[in-house]
Amino acid sequence: MDASPITLVSLITNTSQRFIVPVYQRPYSWDDEQCQQLWEDVLSIGRRAEGKHFTGSVVWIQDGTMSAAGVNAVLLIDGQQRITTLTLLLVALADYAREHAASDRRSDSESELHFSCEEIVATGFLVSPFKKGEDHYRLTLSQGDRATMRSIVDHLENPEVSIVEGSHRLIENLNWFRNHLRNLADPNEIWDGIQRLEVVSISLAQGQDNPQLIFESMNSTGKDLSTSDLVRNYVLMGLPVERQNELYQNHWRKIEETLGADSYDQVFDEFLRDWLTVVTAPAPLVSRDLYRVFKTYVETNGYDKDDNVIDLLVEIRRFAGYYACIMQGAEEDAGLKHILDRMRALDVSVVNPLLMTMYEHHRQKAFPRGDFISMLRTVESYLLRRAVCDVPSNSLNKYFLSVIARLNDVFDSEDGNYREALEALLLSESGTARRIPDDREFKQALLTRDCYAFRRSNYLLAGLENGKHPKDPIDFSAGTYTIEHIMPQNALAHGEWKQMLGDDYQTVFDQNINRLGNLTLTAYNSELSDGSFAQKKERAIGGYRNEYLSLSSELHDASIWNEQAIASRTERLAREALSVWRMPALSNETITKYRPRKKAAAPRKSVTFRMLCADGLLQVEDRLEGQRSRYQVSANVTPGFRIRLTNGEEYDSPSRAAIRAVQLSGASVTSINGWIFWTTKGRQLSDIRDEYLASDAEGRVIQRTTLYSDFWDGFYSYCVDRNDFIAAFGDQSDRTVPKDSWTTFSIGHRGCHLSSLLGVRDDYLVAEFFFSDIEQYQIFLSHREEIESHLSSLRADLKWDEIDVDKKSRHMVVSRYADYKNGDWEDLYAWLADALLRMKQLVAFLD
């Protein structure tokens, strides 16, 4: 690596080299904010008599080729956004100079321009005027921006050349600079400022420096790198330029087109999160860790070796297609598209990984199209019923992870009916915060809730209407139809409505104005307005008598609209909702069959095939057999602790090895859980892995930090099902899982905290009051007898600090024996939750 300060002008006008933005770099993305910052920096230095302005670093590496004209192609690793934006500013300056040279609009008071269009073009700021082809252009952008940037430069050289409209960001920013130059009193300040911009030019040595590591550690002065930038660079950066171009054109560009190029960065990050959620389930995924998780997934599955990167890109593109069907309406099957469009309107993106999993398994022919449609309707019912019943959704993220993992097991083992499994998993949460509300709860909510304030009221009414004619649904998404109050919101301003509602009209109005039975959809909301019921019914345009929506069938013949009429229609619509959004029905035996397995004591993702071999649980040349009867495949353990297939290929990942083995047998599968697929000596690899996880010899696997995070993660999940705990301490499902032995719980009292501690070494579990205010502890201690009586049912040891102990804090500790080694912690969770609840009640002694 060689780093040296240099003016930006000197860097870009070096006649022996030209800059190329590699295909793995993000598209040009600076907007007004970054243009404004560059403009102000340039203007500030241009208005000073002397000095320079440092504007970051530019990192580049030669690609090893030199043209016949002696020009080196230089790949920009970092700095493309600044250099591209500076190029646009230079084009705008050249346009300005040409415009003012062609007219005589400058007054005598205006200063002479220090630059000209010819100077900017001829002296190598934008082009090498005497070179042809690729060497002619000082800057070559990546695929999506290349044609537009070249046409901008070509247009400057020859105004008859049209500017290509492909990259709107380039054109918008060029116009931004043009407009600001027109309003600037002295454009020379910009020209002078550009000459004094300075950067650190960092050149990397081909084959010696690792551009990917350098790229990850740097951040430009403009927009932060998105995860999509990091992922694209990680996949393509280390490859030869020709290979980069090939993979970009044949694979990565297809991913960009699938997800939509205009909003690619944001959409890709969202897609990447959902895809990684699918492939790493049931491990929880934190958004800030996406890039790290991606790299781990690539390396664990061997995608970074040999030519496996193509398999990775094929997988990403396949899942991008599922994502586009779910989120962008790209599904071509009309039946599937109709349901997915409805579900998208529900705006519950946390379900996307589950839907992508179902898409992948459907592609592998795990279930027919009819079952796919049925399952989508079941998931839609699950989401809407919960929304109507106001069941909090913040526990769904972890819950859907467990559903995905269980469906993967069903798919991999081929043991069971996939549709049944999904329905059983949803039904198995009865009575918890993850439940699907049953018909009684769902109907009761529809009968009593304020449906107008309900965020998905339009969706609810549209679904009820289309439930009457599912084969010919009405498209309500255009916004033509809006929600109409049959009894208007201003009804009590009219005597006719007061008379219709009866003597207690105020109470009747308040209780019924926003009930489901008083709401409908109409394309004539403004026409119907606040009229009387008779007026709204008889209107020639939009009147209820001529309304064709089945949703409003009662209104055709009704002569009065009062409390009884609203209640009757509410009952009818609620009853129909039970059929539109059905509750699945399975026997208890079937539900139990598919219930998720208990979580292992330590996260499975931490164990690799190599670790099992190194520990002696697998031996060299052990034979692995594929579990699926339809595929007769086998493999062996190599001396290097890898999996060798019968054709000689070797893999680190059981899943990658399983996929490839089945493909060699003639099948087209692209996803298999290798830990379940492979068996040796009658045992699945997953069983051997569980044995390894359960061991604690020499502290190999169950590290304390791992056990801590596992315990707290499980405890927070347990608390989601405890309504009494949520009422006392709030929902714990979104808390960051600590990696320490302790955690705290708010009790709303300064100087006193409630916490819990894991004593892993000495096998105890603690709940304690921690007092930093000794006076409060003294008050608390004065109620010792009552407190100990209150806590006696916990069957625990109680310890108190003496009031005169030489410490800055005081503690009251409740503890019990705890066996952390077996991983079955449900009893500990129950005891700890009960202890914390009972202890919080003691805060009353401090008030």
Side-chain angles (χ1 to χ4, degrees), residues 307-375:
D307 206 26
N308 293 339
V309 66
I310 292 179
D311 294 338
L312 172 66
L313 293 175
V314 168
E315 179 179 332
I316 294 175
R317 182 182 175 188
R318 187 171 70 252
F319 276 87
Y322 305 152
Y323 185 86
C325 290
I326 295 165
M327 293 299 293
Q328 299 169 358
E331 175 59 64
E332 295 180 357
D333 183 301
L336 291 172
K337 184 179 187 304
H338 177 60
I339 301 173
L340 290 168
D341 288 348
R342 292 204 315 256
M343 293 180 69
R344 188 164 60 254
L346 275 172
D347 190 26
V348 186
S349 60
V350 72
V351 77
N352 290 347
L354 174 60
L355 300 183
M356 291 165 69
T357 301
M358 292 163 59
Y359 252 112
E360 175 71 355
H361 291 161
H362 177 57
R363 183 180 180 276
Q364 307 277 346
K365 305 196 183 316
F367 47 84
R369 175 183 178 274
D371 278 5
F372 196 9
I373 289 178
S374 174
M375 287 187 290

Side-chain angles (χ1 to χ4, degrees), residues 218-282:
M218 300 188 68
N219 199 359
S220 72
T221 56
K223 279 191 170 182
D224 290 342
L225 296 172
S226 67
T227 306
S228 61
D229 300 328
L230 294 168
V231 167
R232 182 176 57 250
N233 291 11
Y234 177 81
V235 171
L236 300 176
M237 183 179 282
L239 302 172
V241 174
E242 297 78 8
R243 185 64 170 150
Q244 290 177 13
N245 291 327
E246 176 191 346
L247 290 176
Y248 180 84
Q249 288 290 352
N250 296 335
H251 297 282
W252 197 271
R253 185 59 181 168
K254 306 297 183 185
I255 296 170
E256 292 178 342
E257 291 170 351
T258 298
L259 295 175
D262 283 346
S263 56
Y264 169 70
D265 275 357
Q266 178 183 351
V267 171
F268 186 89
D269 283 7
E270 294 169 353
F271 155 71
L272 185 74
R273 178 198 62 217
D274 290 342
W275 168 62
L276 286 174
T277 298
V278 172
V279 298
T280 60

Side-chain angles (χ1 to χ4, degrees), residues 818-829:
D819 181 4
Y820 296 102
K821 295 184 178 61
N822 63 14
D824 186 4
W825 297 329
E826 291 294 315
D827 180 56
L828 299 182
Y829 294 157

Side-chain angles (χ1 to χ4, degrees), residues 274-311:
D274 290 342
W275 168 62
L276 286 174
T277 298
V278 172
V279 298
T280 60
L285 188 67
V286 180
S287 295
R288 63 177 178 272
D289 289 339
L290 287 184
Y291 181 55
R292 178 189 59 78
V293 173
F294 171 78
K295 289 175 63 177
T296 300
Y297 177 74
V298 169
E299 293 161 3
T300 301
N301 288 277
Y303 287 127
D304 58 336
K305 293 183 174 62
D306 305 322
D307 206 26
N308 293 339
V309 66
I310 292 179
D311 294 338

Side-chain angles (χ1 to χ4, degrees), residues 559-577:
S559 58
I560 189 171
W561 196 251
N562 57 13
E563 183 176 17
Q564 290 72 32
I566 294 172
S568 176
R569 183 167 176 265
T570 301
E571 172 68 29
R572 193 261 295 184
L573 294 179
R575 189 171 58 251
E576 291 179 0

Side-chain angles (χ1 to χ4, degrees), residues 192 247 255 287 341 426 563 594 598 600 628 781 789 799:
D192 294 342
L247 290 176
I255 296 170
S287 295
D341 288 348
L426 299 181
E563 183 176 17
Y594 294 105
K598 285 188 176 181
R628 293 188 184 181
L781 184 60
S789 174
K799 293 182 180 180

